[in-house]
Amino acid sequence: QVQLVESGGDVVQPGGSLRLSCAASGFALDSYSIGWFRQIPGKEREGISCINSRISRTGDTYYVESVRGRFTISRDDAKNTVYLQMNSLKPEDTAVYYCAAVKWGGTYCPVGGAMFDYWGQGTQVTVSS
């Protein structure tokens, strides 16, 4: 059974940091590209970061402009886990964060939520003073 489980969401003050984890089970992560998305109630889901699969051999990563330089995506295939390190958090980063997976060998990370086949249940990140 393919499953993705996010964890690490919390309440943090502006300027603080969090590390989100996306743990995969039921499949080997190294063949999959992993994306991080977030959604605020009433707004469209936003793709914020992606890391390409090991089989792509490009190591491509993607960040949306609003998080570039503050967020870092990484993967530990031995632990079947992808991380999103979030620094310098802002109130506008408040959202439910989801990870998603797709088996992918392309040169660049897939773009858009429709490209991803498996989704986690989400973890809440709240940035507030």
Side-chain angles (χ1 to χ4, degrees), residues 5-7 19-23 34-38 45-51 62 71-74 82-86 97-100 116 119 122-123:
V5 178
E6 303 95 337
S7 61
R19 188 177 79 159
L20 304 185
S21 298
C22 173
I34 304 297
W36 281 98
F37 298 79
R38 66 185 180 188
R45 182 179 59 200
E46 176 186 30
I48 61 169
S49 185
C50 175
I51 187 165
Y62 163 82
F71 291 10
T72 303
I73 192 170
S74 62
V82 170
Y83 304 98
L84 186 68
Q85 177 67 43
M86 307 188 297
Y97 284 71
Y98 300 89
C99 64
F116 291 82
W119 292 81
T123 186

Side-chain angles (χ1 to χ4, degrees), residues 59-110:
D60 181 51
T61 57
Y62 163 82
Y63 300 95
V64 72
E65 180 63 32
S66 60
V67 308
R68 196 172 297 144
R70 300 188 297 122
F71 291 10
T72 303
I73 192 170
S74 62
R75 61 190 302 149
D76 186 338
D77 291 336
K79 295 184 178 180
N80 237 29
T81 301
V82 170
Y83 304 98
L84 186 68
Q85 177 67 43
M86 307 188 297
N87 298 328
S88 302
L89 283 162
K90 305 175 181 180
E92 52 264 41
D93 294 318
T94 296
V96 178
Y97 284 71
Y98 300 89
C99 64
V102 60
K103 195 167 188 179
W104 185 259
T107 301
Y108 301 106
C109 263

